[in-house]
Amino acid sequence: MQELKAVLEAGSKYLRDHPEELLRALRNLLALRVGVPLDALRFFAGRASGKKAPKDLVLEAVPPGLRVGATIDLMGTQVRANASVFIERVSITPAELRFEIRLANVSLKVADDAPESPIAALLRSGALDLSKPGNLAAYMPKRPALLVDAKDDLVVIDLMRHPKIAKSPRAARAIALLAPLLTVAGIESDSEHLDVTLRAFPDGLREAASGLRRRVLG
């Protein structure tokens, strides 16, 4: 309850400080687009908790992508990670929630106070080719279940493979409901927002409208 209250208070304050967001949201609605302020993403990312949660998050627009920086726990070693992230393609079906992500300008720097470890020594040596982060992800010792493919600078993830999402009946119902109606045509940033552009499937909308009409009319 406290978490919800904090979110609502932050959202209310943001709209008071940025009343132009309401007009932008209306224009986006007419264009089948959802614009998320980067300040909102920073707010939620900053509330991540847990021993291994990213810290000192930096989130900046590099249109059409984002520059992301954070201090992370990499195999027991504190590392400052930075990368430019670009969403190449999104596929939403009842069976998958797939994102193709291109990474550029990747850097991994061991924290100055980090103890010596094999991963620290490897990073400090400069032996890793960070221009092809997908190749490194492909050979991770503990490869995440949601990592579908990784090669060169491209990483493909499927959120439906994440245990919490895969086992959530609510998530499955939501995706099964929306997948025949809408898809994501693109995800791009401007200076202050991350815009998700949607595309409607006319046949799916007509079928949904017909089903609703049948239920209403009996």
Side-chain angles (χ1 to χ4, degrees):
M1 193 66 180
Q2 287 295 110
E3 183 73 15
L4 177 59
K5 183 179 178 181
V7 170
L8 293 176
E9 288 177 350
S12 177
K13 182 180 184 304
Y14 183 84
L15 290 177
R16 288 197 303 271
D17 295 341
H18 301 83
E20 70 279 2
E21 288 293 335
L22 295 174
L23 181 59
R24 190 180 194 277
L26 179 59
R27 290 199 302 266
N28 282 344
L29 180 63
L30 298 175
L32 275 183
R33 187 166 57 236
V34 178
V36 182
L38 295 186
D39 281 344
L41 295 179
R42 296 184 186 106
F43 172 81
F44 285 109
R47 299 184 73 82
S49 59
K51 185 178 179 181
K52 294 190 176 182
K55 300 178 179 64
D56 306 319
L57 180 78
V58 173
L59 193 62
E60 301 172 335
V62 285
L66 295 174
R67 182 181 293 111
V68 182
T71 300
I72 61 174
D73 184 297
L74 183 62
M75 300 172 64
T77 300
Q78 291 293 300
V79 173
R80 185 67 189 177
N82 294 278
S84 297
V85 181
F86 304 90
I87 308 297
E88 295 283 306
R89 184 172 177 270
V90 181
S91 175
I92 301 177
T93 72
E96 70 176 12
L97 191 53
R98 180 183 174 112
F99 295 80
E100 296 182 8
I101 304 169
R102 197 166 299 280
L103 302 173
N105 305 316
V106 177
S107 66
L108 297 171
K109 183 180 179 182
V110 180
D112 293 336
D113 58 349
E116 195 58 40
S117 67
I119 191 67
L122 187 60
L123 290 175
R124 286 173 175 147
S125 72
L128 292 179
D129 182 6
L130 297 179
S131 68
K132 297 181 179 180
N135 294 346
L136 299 179
Y139 293 101
M140 291 173 62
K142 295 182 180 179
R143 181 166 170 161
L146 53 75
L147 182 61
V148 175
D149 194 15
K151 184 178 180 181
D152 295 338
D153 63 349
L154 190 68
V155 173
V156 182
I157 63 173
D158 181 0
L159 295 183
M160 289 297 288
R161 295 191 179 191
H162 191 285
K164 288 186 178 179
I165 297 177
K167 295 177 181 178
S168 170
R170 183 178 298 178
R173 285 195 300 269
I175 294 172
L177 177 65
L178 293 176
L181 306 179
L182 297 166
T183 190
V184 175
I187 301 178
E188 296 184 344
S189 70
D190 64 16
S191 60
E192 295 295 335
H193 301 82
L194 187 66
D195 288 326
V196 181
T197 303
L198 305 174
R199 185 174 70 245
F201 294 133
D203 290 343
L205 293 176
R206 281 194 291 268
E207 185 175 336
S210 297
L212 179 61
R213 194 159 47 242
R214 285 194 297 271
R215 284 195 293 270
V216 171
L217 299 178

